[in-house]
């Protein structure tokens, strides 16, 4: 971990000093100009904490410098809330700071508006109805927009304690549902983790504390044992002449929470609470390390993963293996080069690094395929579509579903809150995602205003209303009507509580219900 979790408070002078080593002198002058302008326009505005508003854009800019973003992004970070929240106009901004900065600030403003469900983008997009598409288009213009938005969201989460409880929950949930997956999609592993940890600590503070304690107890026991393994590996690699670095990596609280849902809450089934990370210089060395480890310990064959030969869709690369030591300890290893490590932490932001400003300029001029790794071509694709849309070209709806979120869909509550679900999710998955009590008392659903059966999957952009009744209770048959691990785990716990899972009559009920549903659902099958 290279950065502190919380952005520190910076004054204008501190921020300029922070920036100086990384940017040209004229760029720092421009930054100073932007800070003065933002300070003037935000004058008199206060954050919920009572502090002057300007600390927020300065914190966002600090983060963008830490992420190694180019100067235009940093300046846009300073100015990101001026057009939306002050008297500053986009025209004025453009005349003072140029087209690129104005373009970025405009993009950030539009992302907020798309989220708020406003119609501003409709002029470009007569043929797309849903907010998600608008969001995608706003991002598609320039991926730096979303990186600035992530820095903005991170600071809002870091200062969330000042918000009223209801707002906290809303922001935290939206962060988990929309912004963390977005960071993940851009390969920004560290940012994703920071967003998840903060958001989860607000969404379920009791569970967060509980898992934190559990983790602490567990780690105390295993750290010493792991230390022995680490020394052993260190010696073996040195003996074989492989230059390396070994670090311990502790699982994040949120990923522990997600994993526990999968293994029915049994922490003994989780092998990677703590993993060892071996960082080497070359790809060849990664495979050599794998061989050396497998000669030392017994590999658990099913757990070997080669993300170097086949990177994850977001560009993540590493070798993963889990081994059994002679002391019967199960240890996970992640093996990667320094370059892969840098990418795993910083993702796409790494390609805007100040050392590579030239290539980031090429990128914005549309030569992105020259600098974007091949697995990032979806960004190029997105930009091409955005360009076509802006020029008024007709685009079939199917082409708009760019794989930004993999096979995820977005649905809305009647209040307009966005929820992110896997494709094929049922209405009950939605109710359990909103709250396990709402899941439990689900009686019926209204989707886009019409009654919607339990067994019909939701579609992207649906507005879902859960009809609850106090008397409604979870049924064993519901297990067939959820696909998310979250809903399944909550439902199973509820069923176990009322003793509904083991009962034979219920099993018979499932079969009966299934046959009935098969017959009944034919007529309701969507035409697609
Ligand atoms: Mn902001």
């Amino acid at each position: 971990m290279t950065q502190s979790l919380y952005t520190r408070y910076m004054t204008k002078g501190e921020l300029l000093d922070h920036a100086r080593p990384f940017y040209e002198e004229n760029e720092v002058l421009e930054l100073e100009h932007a800070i003065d302008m933002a300070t003037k326009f935000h004058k008199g505005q206060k954050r919920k904490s009572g502090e002057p508003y300007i600390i927020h854009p300065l914190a966002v800019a600090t983060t963008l410098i830490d992420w190694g973003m180019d100067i235009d992004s940093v300046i846009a970070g300073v100015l990101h809330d001026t057009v939306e929240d002050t008297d500053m106009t986009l025209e004025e901004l453009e005349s003072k700071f140029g087209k690129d900065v104005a373009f970025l600030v405009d993009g950030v403003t539009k992302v907020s508006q798309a989220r708020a469900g406003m119609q501003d983008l409709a002029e470009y997009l007569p043929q797309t109805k849903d907010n998600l598409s608008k969001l995608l288009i706003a991002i598609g213009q320039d991926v730096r927009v979303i990186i600035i938005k992530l820095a903005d969201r991170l600071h809002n989460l870091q200062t969330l304690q000042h918000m009223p409880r209801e707002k906290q929950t809303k922001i935290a949930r939206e962060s988990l549902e929309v912004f963390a997956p977005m960071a993940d999609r851009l390969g920004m592993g560290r940012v994703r983790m920071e967003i998840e940890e903060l958001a989860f600590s607000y969404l379920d503070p009791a569970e967060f504390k509980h898992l934190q304690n559990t983790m602490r107890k567990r780690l105390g026991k295993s750290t010493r044992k792991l230390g022995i393994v680490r020394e052993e590996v260190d010696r073996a690699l040195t003996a074989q002449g492989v230059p390396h670095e070994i670090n311990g990596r502790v699982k994040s609280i949120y990923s522990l929470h997600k994993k526990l849902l999968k293994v029915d809450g049994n922490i003994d089934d989780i092998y990677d609470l703590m993993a060892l990370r071996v960082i080497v210089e070359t790809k060849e060395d990664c495979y050599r390390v794998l061989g050396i480890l497998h000669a030392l310990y017994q590999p658990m064959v099913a757990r070997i993963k080669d993300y170097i030969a086949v990177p994850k869709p977001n560009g993540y690369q590493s070798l993963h293996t889990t081994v059994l030591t002679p002391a019967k300890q199960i240890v996970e290893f992640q093996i990667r080069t320094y370059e892969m490590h840098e990418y795993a932490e910083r993702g796409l932001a790494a390609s805007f690094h100040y050392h590579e400003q030239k290539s980031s300029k090429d990128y914005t001029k549309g030569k992105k395929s020259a600098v974007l790794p091949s697995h990032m071509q979806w960004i190029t694709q997105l930009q091409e579509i955005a360009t076509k849309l802006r020029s008024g070209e007709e685009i079939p709806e199917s082409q708009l579903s760019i794989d930004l979120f993999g096979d995820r869909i977005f649905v809305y509550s009647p209040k307009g809150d966005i929820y992110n679900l896997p494709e094929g999710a049922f209405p009950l998955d939605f109710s359990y995602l909103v709250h396990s009590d709402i899941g439990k008392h689900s009686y019926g659903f209204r989707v886009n205003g019409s009654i919607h059966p339990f067994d019909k999957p939701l579609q992207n952009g649906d507005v879902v209303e859960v009809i609850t009744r106090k008397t409604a209770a979870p049924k064993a048959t519901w297990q067939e009507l959820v696909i998310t691990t979250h809903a399944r785990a909550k439902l199973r716990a509820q069923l176990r509580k009322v003793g509904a899972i083991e009962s034979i009559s219920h099993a018979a009920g499932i079969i009966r219900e299934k046959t009935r549903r098969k017959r009944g659902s034919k007529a309701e099958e969507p035409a697609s």
Side-chain angles (χ1 to χ4, degrees), residues 327-482:
K328 297 283 170 247
Q329 198 183 356
I330 294 171
V331 183
E332 183 181 284
F333 284 91
Q334 301 174 345
I335 309 158
R336 52 175 76 151
T337 64
Y338 287 97
E339 208 176 317
M340 292 170 192
H341 182 60
E342 165 95 347
Y343 187 84
E345 298 268 297
R346 307 205 305 126
L348 201 67
S351 50
F352 294 99
H353 204 272
Y354 32 82
H355 293 142
E356 294 155 354
Q357 278 222 35
K358 218 179 136 291
S359 44
S360 97
K361 288 252 167 63
D362 285 347
Y363 168 82
T364 49
K365 280 183 193 138
K367 293 182 211 153
K368 48 254 162 194
S369 46
V371 285
L372 281 180
S374 59
H375 47 262
M376 282 292 170
Q377 291 299 327
W378 59 272
I379 291 174
T380 318
Q381 231 179 315
L382 196 60
Q383 286 168 326
E384 277 162 12
I385 289 179
T387 312
K388 282 187 191 165
L389 277 172
R390 278 196 304 278
S391 65
E393 219 173 297
E394 286 273 322
I395 305 278
E397 190 87 19
S398 61
Q399 273 192 36
L400 276 176
S401 55
I402 291 277
D403 193 25
L404 181 59
F405 295 95
D407 36 12
R408 309 289 294 184
I409 59 167
F410 286 78
V411 299
Y412 302 88
S413 75
K415 277 201 247 157
D417 295 343
I418 308 182
Y419 290 82
N420 173 353
L421 285 164
E423 213 173 332
F426 292 107
L428 274 173
D429 287 303
F430 173 80
S431 356
Y432 276 96
L433 186 59
V434 176
H435 198 282
S436 51
D437 281 339
I438 297 197
K440 188 165 140 187
H441 295 300
S442 297
Y443 181 78
F445 302 95
R446 205 169 286 135
V447 172
N448 307 325
S450 321
I451 294 296
H452 187 102
F454 278 60
D455 63 352
K456 184 171 162 186
L458 296 172
Q459 305 285 326
N460 197 29
D462 278 348
V463 178
V464 188
E465 185 188 343
V466 185
I467 305 160
T468 55
R469 289 256 170 108
K470 276 226 173 68
T471 49
K475 300 177 186 64
T477 50
W478 284 9
Q479 292 179 93
E480 302 287 324
L481 299 171
V482 293

Side-chain angles (χ1 to χ4, degrees), residues 204-361:
D204 198 342
E207 180 71 358
F208 187 84
K209 278 246 166 61
H210 164 73
L211 290 179
Q212 222 173 14
N213 286 331
T214 313
M215 186 85 111
R216 208 172 287 139
K217 272 183 221 147
R218 288 267 156 169
L219 287 181
K221 278 186 223 156
S222 56
T223 309
R224 205 164 34 90
K225 282 200 231 160
L226 207 61
I228 300 169
V229 176
R230 181 181 169 155
E231 273 166 35
E232 216 164 46
V233 172
D234 186 39
R235 266 198 305 275
L237 294 181
T238 308
Q240 302 277 337
V242 184
H244 65 276
E245 196 179 292
I246 307 180
N247 302 312
R249 155 339 236 122
V250 176
K251 203 170 188 62
S252 78
I253 301 290
Y254 182 67
S255 68
L256 173 62
H257 164 75
K258 277 206 305 201
K259 199 93 169 232
L260 279 172
L261 288 175
K262 272 192 200 157
V263 296
D264 259 356
N266 190 353
I267 196 161
D268 292 324
D269 289 342
I270 296 178
Y271 304 125
D272 60 345
L273 270 189
M274 195 166 182
L276 289 178
R277 192 174 275 159
V278 185
I279 307 178
V280 293
E281 278 160 17
T282 64
K283 187 166 105 178
E284 290 68 33
D285 278 350
C286 292
Y287 290 100
R288 278 181 75 198
V289 171
L290 188 73
I292 294 167
L293 286 176
H294 288 177
L296 266 181
Y297 309 113
Q298 186 192 330
M300 295 168 77
V301 178
R303 295 178 152 267
I304 302 171
K305 292 202 179 96
D306 186 349
Y307 294 121
I308 292 181
V310 186
K312 287 190 182 182
N314 67 3
Y316 173 89
Q317 289 189 296
S318 274
L319 298 174
H320 291 188
T321 184
T322 305
V323 301
L324 191 64
T325 69
K328 297 283 170 247
Q329 198 183 356
I330 294 171
V331 183
E332 183 181 284
F333 284 91
Q334 301 174 345
I335 309 158
R336 52 175 76 151
T337 64
Y338 287 97
E339 208 176 317
M340 292 170 192
H341 182 60
E342 165 95 347
Y343 187 84
E345 298 268 297
R346 307 205 305 126
L348 201 67
S351 50
F352 294 99
H353 204 272
Y354 32 82
H355 293 142
E356 294 155 354
Q357 278 222 35
K358 218 179 136 291
S359 44
S360 97
K361 288 252 167 63

Side-chain angles (χ1 to χ4, degrees), residues 53 56 80-81 152:
Y53 193 86
H56 168 63
H80 81 273
D81 278 329
D152 177 37

Side-chain angles (χ1 to χ4, degrees), residues 85-289:
D85 296 339
T86 78
D87 294 333
M88 170 87 93
T89 64
L90 202 57
E91 290 69 37
E92 192 176 354
L93 202 107
E94 186 173 330
S95 73
K96 291 203 160 84
F97 299 97
K99 237 180 160 166
D100 284 359
V101 170
F103 182 77
L104 291 173
V105 172
D106 190 35
V108 174
T109 310
K110 278 177 179 147
V111 172
S112 320
Q113 289 169 344
R115 275 179 41 239
M118 288 167 78
Q119 301 300 311
D120 284 52
L121 281 163
E123 52 185 300
Y124 303 142
L125 312 164
Q127 62 276 65
T128 51
K129 322 161 277 289
D130 58 304
N131 290 334
L132 176 66
S133 305
K134 291 177 198 162
L135 190 64
L136 287 176
I137 302 311
I139 300 161
Q141 297 173 36
D142 190 323
V143 75
R144 290 179 300 173
V145 167
I146 211 58
I147 296 178
I148 298 169
K149 197 64 212 166
L150 286 170
D152 177 37
R153 177 49 60 112
L154 198 55
H155 187 248
N156 287 335
L157 280 170
Q158 286 162 352
T159 51
L160 204 56
Q161 74 268 27
H162 306 294
M163 286 286 177
R165 183 71 195 130
E166 198 186 329
K167 200 91 190 268
Q168 285 178 344
T169 314
K170 195 182 150 101
I171 291 176
R173 203 186 39 69
E174 190 190 48
S175 301
L176 270 188
E177 294 288 313
V178 180
F179 288 94
M182 226 177 243
D184 184 52
R185 202 65 185 85
L186 299 180
M188 300 171 74
R190 240 190 90 69
V191 177
R192 190 207 69 197
M193 198 199 79
E194 285 187 19
I195 291 177
E196 284 177 349
E197 293 297 83
L198 282 163
F200 184 53
S201 74
Y202 280 98
L203 266 189
D204 198 342
E207 180 71 358
F208 187 84
K209 278 246 166 61
H210 164 73
L211 290 179
Q212 222 173 14
N213 286 331
T214 313
M215 186 85 111
R216 208 172 287 139
K217 272 183 221 147
R218 288 267 156 169
L219 287 181
K221 278 186 223 156
S222 56
T223 309
R224 205 164 34 90
K225 282 200 231 160
L226 207 61
I228 300 169
V229 176
R230 181 181 169 155
E231 273 166 35
E232 216 164 46
V233 172
D234 186 39
R235 266 198 305 275
L237 294 181
T238 308
Q240 302 277 337
V242 184
H244 65 276
E245 196 179 292
I246 307 180
N247 302 312
R249 155 339 236 122
V250 176
K251 203 170 188 62
S252 78
I253 301 290
Y254 182 67
S255 68
L256 173 62
H257 164 75
K258 277 206 305 201
K259 199 93 169 232
L260 279 172
L261 288 175
K262 272 192 200 157
V263 296
D264 259 356
N266 190 353
I267 196 161
D268 292 324
D269 289 342
I270 296 178
Y271 304 125
D272 60 345
L273 270 189
M274 195 166 182
L276 289 178
R277 192 174 275 159
V278 185
I279 307 178
V280 293
E281 278 160 17
T282 64
K283 187 166 105 178
E284 290 68 33
D285 278 350
C286 292
Y287 290 100
R288 278 181 75 198
V289 171

Side-chain angles (χ1 to χ4, degrees), residues 494-511:
Q494 291 169 354
L495 289 172
R496 228 177 280 125
K497 218 174 194 174
V498 295
I501 279 188
E502 271 81 26
S503 133
I504 294 172
S505 62
H506 265 88
I510 294 178
I511 297 165

